[in-house]
């Protein structure tokens, strides 16, 4: 798979497509013991020592992460995979995302894309830091940021978040149907109302069943639930080459060595652990270029298998 000459700008070639990282936030000073409830300090310290300075502060041992979107440009389409956190959003429950004022759209413009140019927005799941730029504030209203795009996401994710937003008992029925094991937490409130409802009202949504099938040319949504109720990892094929956008199946390279560690943001921990194992196996077996959402550094890499363990290499 040939890397693009714009590698320094975070761009990669996958077949006929160019995939470019559009940064939003660089997150510093993350305590692994807070991010991972099952964290073991002795084992964790050993794994942290193996990580580069772009992923961990060598002096403090604190982790580094990123929030960004991925821009996929093909000869005939412009696609965004996830849309980061968005500006002006009310997120009092997660201070790092509360009332942001980030030049995300300027960075998209620097990559040669205006909001009106985007043809597709593909969402791995409906969480605050993956669906935020779906909409922008105009006066007191939220309007679609990408007015000419079709927004593609899980029908179950939409139904679940809608049920939670109106506080009906139907959310329990949706959880029972999903059968993901015990629930550890709920999605952050407010995201559905300000980042999804305006898309639905504008008639721009395409709700899908996440079953591994191709839903848009070249793009397949693979089930990887647990972090959210119907989280999808999105595979992309072009001219015999393959990339995998795995969303929040893993949050940091530390989890490649310790896939048994769930993040504190995983809603259904048992299912999240199983999905993490699937994603690592899938990436290793296919040789995919993996485009992560929260790994820092280049945020792109490959998974290798070493017996029953896995390793990560940034590219």
């Amino acid at each position: 798979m040939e890397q693009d000459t714009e590698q320094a700008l975070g761009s990669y070639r996958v077949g006929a497509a160019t995939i470019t990282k559009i940064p939003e936030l660089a997150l510093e000073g993350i305590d692994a013991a807070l991010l991972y409830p099952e964290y073991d300090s002795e084992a964790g310290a050993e794994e942290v020592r193996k990580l580069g300075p772009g992923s961990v502060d060598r002096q403090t041992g604190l982790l580094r992460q990123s929030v960004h979107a991925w821009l996929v440009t093909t000869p005939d389409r412009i696609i965004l995979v996830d849309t980061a956190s968005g500006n002006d959003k009310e997120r009092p429950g997660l201070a790092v995302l509360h009332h942001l004022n980030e030049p995300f759209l300027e960075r998209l413009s620097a990559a040669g894309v205006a909001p009106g140019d985007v043809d597709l927005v593909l969402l791995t799941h409906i969480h605050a830091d993956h669906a935020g730029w779906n909409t922008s504030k105009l006066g007191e209203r939220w309007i679609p940021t990408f007015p000419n795009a079709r927004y593609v996401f899980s029908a179950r994710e939409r139904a679940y978040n809608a049920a939670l937003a109106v506080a009906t008992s139907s959310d329990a029925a949706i959880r029972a149907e999903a059968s993901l094991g015990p629930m550890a937490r709920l999605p952050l409130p407010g995201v559905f109302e300000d980042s999804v409802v305006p898309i639905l009202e504008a008639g721009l949504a395409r709700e899908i069943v996440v079953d591994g099938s191709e839903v848009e040319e070249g793009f397949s949504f693979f089930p990887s639930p647990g972090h959210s109720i119907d989280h999808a990892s999105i595979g992309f094929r072009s001219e015999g080459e393959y990339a995998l956008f795995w969303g929040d199946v893993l949050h940091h390279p530390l989890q490649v060595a310790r896939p048994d560690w769930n993040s504190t943001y995983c809603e259904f921990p048992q299912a999240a652990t199983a999905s993490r194992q699937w994603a690592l196996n899938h990436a290793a077996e296919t040789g995919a270029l993996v485009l992560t959402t929260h790994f820092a550094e280049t945020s792109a890499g490959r998974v290798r298998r070493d017996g029953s363990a896995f390793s990560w290499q940034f590219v």
Side-chain angles (χ1 to χ4, degrees), residues 6 9-14 17-23 68-74 77-83 104-105 107-115 117-122 146 219 236 245 291-292:
E6 296 178 343
L9 300 178
S11 291
Y12 306 87
R13 291 289 297 182
V14 177
T18 299
I19 303 179
T20 304
K21 177 182 171 180
I22 309 297
H68 50 270
W70 291 100
L71 172 69
V72 183
T73 306
T74 74
R77 291 180 303 173
I78 296 174
I79 302 113
L80 279 175
V81 179
D82 288 336
T83 64
F104 178 81
L105 294 181
R107 292 166 183 156
L108 185 63
S109 177
V113 174
D117 298 334
V118 177
D119 300 299
L120 282 173
V121 173
L122 310 179
F146 311 105
F219 292 94
F236 172 64
F245 303 88
L291 293 314
T292 74

Side-chain angles (χ1 to χ4, degrees), residues 16-77:
T18 299
I19 303 179
T20 304
K21 177 182 171 180
I22 309 297
E24 184 189 50
L25 295 172
L27 304 178
E28 301 278 342
I30 299 160
D31 187 338
L34 296 179
L35 182 59
Y36 302 115
E38 298 115 330
Y39 184 77
D40 175 272
S41 58
E42 184 176 344
E46 181 180 348
E47 294 302 332
V48 163
R49 282 194 291 270
K50 301 174 186 177
L51 299 175
S55 294
V56 62
D57 184 320
R58 295 287 194 182
Q59 298 300 315
T60 65
L62 298 175
L63 306 183
R64 294 185 165 117
Q65 290 183 291
S66 175
V67 179
H68 50 270
W70 291 100
L71 172 69
V72 183
T73 306
T74 74
D76 56 358
R77 291 180 303 173

Side-chain angles (χ1 to χ4, degrees), residues 56-199:
V56 62
D57 184 320
R58 295 287 194 182
Q59 298 300 315
T60 65
L62 298 175
L63 306 183
R64 294 185 165 117
Q65 290 183 291
S66 175
V67 179
H68 50 270
W70 291 100
L71 172 69
V72 183
T73 306
T74 74
D76 56 358
R77 291 180 303 173
I78 296 174
I79 302 113
L80 279 175
V81 179
D82 288 336
T83 64
S85 311
N87 284 350
D88 306 309
K89 300 293 170 83
E90 292 282 340
R91 304 288 185 254
L94 193 57
V96 71
L97 305 182
H98 188 53
H99 284 183
L100 292 181
N101 183 21
E102 297 294 324
F104 178 81
L105 294 181
E106 288 83 349
R107 292 166 183 156
L108 185 63
S109 177
V113 174
D117 298 334
V118 177
D119 300 299
L120 282 173
V121 173
L122 310 179
L123 301 180
T124 58
H125 62 299
I126 300 172
H127 273 182
D129 52 343
H130 291 257
W133 277 106
N134 284 0
T135 59
S136 301
K137 201 166 192 179
L138 180 64
E140 296 302 313
R141 297 187 304 122
W142 294 103
I143 63 171
T145 304
F146 311 105
N148 299 317
R150 180 167 61 249
Y151 291 71
V152 183
F153 49 85
S154 159
R156 176 174 283 167
E157 287 265 325
R158 191 276 309 157
Y160 185 56
N161 282 273
L164 291 170
V166 298
T168 68
S169 60
S170 57
D171 60 288
I174 296 169
R175 282 193 297 272
E177 181 184 31
S179 189
L180 299 179
M183 180 185 68
R185 62 180 291 132
L186 292 169
L188 197 68
V191 178
F192 180 73
E193 292 89 334
D194 62 35
S195 299
V196 179
V197 169
I199 302 306

